[in-house]
């Protein structure tokens, strides 16, 4: 299996996973704050894993949540305001405290590194309160199968679309997203592993979590809770 290392191009800071700080500064929060608000009590504590520039963190703070923002990029976290920030890999995070909600957006769970996925989910499990919720964004298999070159969306005056896609093993693709704003262009290349519902549930179980339910009609948001006795 030929996996392309995560990488990125374009002006400004590029993070270890290939993300552009300039691109993410232009992207607004979407349904994430509503997903959190539907599962975490008002005024509760939220751990935002892979927080980036604070796109969702800032929206949660505005709603009255106490947020800790975690990212491995100091350049990303430099853009965060009003929250405690922790610069580290998610897998290495050990804060010694638990939160009402743990948020892991941006489809991080689809890493092709099985050990890395387990580490991500274990970090969620060791930081969620016993009665708390782990909220995970993923790409359901039916949507993962529908990826195609040229598909994308518009964010303000920026166009984001998939510019390359190659299946390198059954269920594993190397992909590149291209973002264009005026004369500026950025790319981010990454590898994504297709997960079935059963595979996702098994990965959660191995980390001490249980798939509770899907939270949105398109099934792109999952609620997990601590396994009994974990």
């Amino acid at each position: 299996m030929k996996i392309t290392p995560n990488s990125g191009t374009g002006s400004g800071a590029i993070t270890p996973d290939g993300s552009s700080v300039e691109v993410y500064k232009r992207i607004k929060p979407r349904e994430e704050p509503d997903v959190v608000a539907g599962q975490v009590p008002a005024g509760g504590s939220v751990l935002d894993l892979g927080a980036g520039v604070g796109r969702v963190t800032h929206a949660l703070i505005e709603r009255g949540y106490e947020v800790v923002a975690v990212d491995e990029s100091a350049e990303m976290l430099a853009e965060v305001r009003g929250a405690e920030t922790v610069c580290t890999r998610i897998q290495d995070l050990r804060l010694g405290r638990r939160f009402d909600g743990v948020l892991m957006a941006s489809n991080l769970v689809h890493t092709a590194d099985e050990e890395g996925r387990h580490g991500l989910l274990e970090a969620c499990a060791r930081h969620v309160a016993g009665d708390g919720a782990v909220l995970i964004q993923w790409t359901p298999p039916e949507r993962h199968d529908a990826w195609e070159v040229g598909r994308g969306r518009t964010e303000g005056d920026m166009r984001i679309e998939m510019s390359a896609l190659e299946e390198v093993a059954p269920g594993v693709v190397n992909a590149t997203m291209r973002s264009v704003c005026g004369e500026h262009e950025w790319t981010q290349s990454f590898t994504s592993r297709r997960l079935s519902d059963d595979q996702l549930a098994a990965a959660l179980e191995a980390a001490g979590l249980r798939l509770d339910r899907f939270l949105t009609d398109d099934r792109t948001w999952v609620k997990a809770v601590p396994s009994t006795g974990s």
Side-chain angles (χ1 to χ4, degrees):
M1 179 171 64
K2 178 186 176 184
I3 294 180
T4 300
N6 292 346
S7 61
T9 66
S11 60
I14 302 294
T15 69
D17 72 350
S19 300
S20 162
V21 173
E22 293 303 314
V23 166
Y24 277 87
K25 284 167 61 176
R26 290 171 164 82
I27 299 176
K28 304 298 182 184
R30 304 174 77 180
E31 74 277 11
E32 300 95 340
D34 291 333
V35 168
V36 173
Q39 303 300 320
V40 181
S45 59
V46 177
L47 181 64
D48 187 2
L49 300 177
V53 298
R55 177 177 61 90
V56 179
T57 290
H58 294 149
L60 294 176
I61 290 172
E62 290 176 0
R63 295 193 183 203
Y65 289 101
E66 177 187 346
V67 184
V68 174
V70 177
D71 202 277
E72 66 177 342
S73 167
E75 292 88 351
M76 286 282 194
L77 289 178
E79 303 294 330
V80 176
R81 299 290 181 267
E84 177 185 346
T85 60
V86 180
C87 187
T88 185
R89 292 173 69 245
I90 295 171
Q91 294 93 328
D92 298 332
L93 184 69
R94 286 171 173 78
L95 295 179
R97 51 183 155 140
R98 294 180 180 267
F99 296 78
D100 299 314
V102 175
L103 177 68
M104 190 167 72
S106 302
N107 300 285
L108 298 177
V109 73
H110 287 279
T111 175
D113 176 3
E114 301 293 335
E115 183 177 345
R117 179 182 305 107
H118 184 68
L120 291 170
L121 295 176
E122 278 194 326
C124 294
R126 65 175 168 263
H127 289 97
V128 68
D131 59 351
V134 177
L135 308 174
I136 299 171
Q137 185 181 32
W138 78 312
T139 304
E142 64 273 15
R143 294 174 68 90
H144 204 279
D145 293 341
W147 280 4
E148 61 183 5
V149 172
R151 177 170 292 185
R153 69 184 192 275
T154 299
E155 291 277 352
D157 57 356
M158 181 172 65
R159 174 67 181 173
I160 304 174
E161 66 180 26
M162 187 166 291
S163 61
L165 185 67
E166 177 189 10
E167 185 172 28
V168 294
V172 181
V173 296
N174 289 337
T176 298
M177 300 298 295
R178 179 174 62 220
S179 303
V180 179
C181 182
E183 297 179 353
H184 298 282
E185 179 175 321
W186 301 266
T187 67
Q188 181 180 7
S189 297
F190 59 95
T191 300
S192 180
R193 179 179 293 278
R194 178 189 190 274
L195 296 174
S196 68
D197 291 19
D198 289 344
Q199 287 171 325
L200 176 63
L204 290 168
E205 182 178 357
L209 297 168
R210 174 175 58 83
L211 196 161
D212 183 71
R213 65 185 185 273
F214 299 105
L215 297 174
T216 52
D217 290 340
D218 62 7
R219 303 194 327 118
T220 59
W221 283 95
V222 174
K223 176 183 179 181
V225 296
S227 300
T228 302
S230 66

